[in-house]
Amino acid sequence: MPEARPPLPPFTEETARQKVRAAEDAWNTRDPDRVVLAYSEDTRWRNRAEFPVGREEVRRFLQRKWARELDYRLIKELWTFGGARIAVRFAYEWRDDSEQWFRSYGNENWEFDGHGLMVRRHASINDLPIARADRKYHWPPGRRPDDHPGLSELGL
């Protein structure tokens, strides 16, 4: 039996916001072994043009992602929720190995099982090259500080 990952569906606005922040915090660790624990063993993803299925494929996907997307910092924001589903919008900043910075914008649709594990994740993402001076995320690697503005406050 899988371990529960609260908060569990059906989501309220408060528990949906908690789930979104927990996901943001986990992804900001850039630790694939930690991040995959939020997903069911048979999770199904669409991420750009990749379609990983299962935790192990997701783990390998995340390892490749963070080997390529350096100095990654992410902010997620709740868009809407209902029952066992949550929709978020997000933006993250990163640089490649040639020192070109990007801000990647996207939307995700999530579906959870009764244990609070994500069984489906559908992401649409666009990358915008930015100048280093145009970066908006300057916190140290790891969790975004509580007093750091979110997407709406940053005008994103």
Side-chain angles (χ1 to χ4, degrees):
M1 179 159 241
E3 184 176 327
R5 298 287 295 204
L8 308 177
F11 297 108
T12 64
E13 182 173 354
E14 178 184 353
T15 60
R17 288 186 191 286
Q18 290 170 358
K19 200 71 157 177
V20 171
R21 183 59 193 242
E24 175 187 315
D25 290 350
W27 279 63
N28 275 325
T29 68
R30 298 181 310 252
D31 179 352
D33 294 329
R34 176 177 171 193
V35 173
V36 298
L37 297 177
Y39 302 96
S40 66
E41 289 289 340
D42 60 350
T43 191
R44 300 183 70 81
W45 282 26
R46 179 182 55 76
N47 195 94
R48 301 177 194 254
E50 292 192 56
F51 298 85
V53 176
R55 276 188 182 168
E56 288 312 308
E57 284 187 24
V58 167
R59 181 188 325 273
R60 288 190 298 273
F61 167 86
L62 293 170
Q63 288 168 338
R64 289 190 314 276
K65 172 186 178 62
W66 289 318
R68 183 179 66 250
E69 296 178 356
L70 308 174
D71 292 323
Y72 177 96
R73 309 257 189 317
L74 166 72
I75 299 177
K76 291 183 182 280
E77 183 175 280
L78 176 66
W79 188 253
T80 193
F81 67 95
R85 293 181 173 167
I86 296 175
V88 299
R89 66 188 201 94
F90 63 87
Y92 63 91
E93 292 181 350
W94 58 282
R95 66 173 176 83
D96 65 17
D97 58 4
S98 71
E99 299 298 321
Q100 172 60 59
W101 282 91
F102 297 87
R103 186 172 305 117
S104 298
Y105 297 93
N107 299 291
E108 292 175 319
N109 296 311
W110 301 340
E111 185 175 354
F112 297 86
D113 65 16
H115 301 284
L117 296 171
M118 194 180 301
V119 294
R120 287 190 185 82
R121 176 185 175 268
H122 300 282
S124 297
I125 307 167
N126 299 294
D127 301 319
L128 175 68
I130 60 172
R132 182 181 189 91
D134 292 334
R135 292 181 55 223
K136 296 182 181 282
Y137 303 175
H138 298 285
W139 68 85
R143 186 177 194 277
R144 175 173 56 102
D146 290 334
D147 61 351
H148 190 284
L151 294 179
S152 293
E153 294 84 7
L154 290 168
L156 301 174

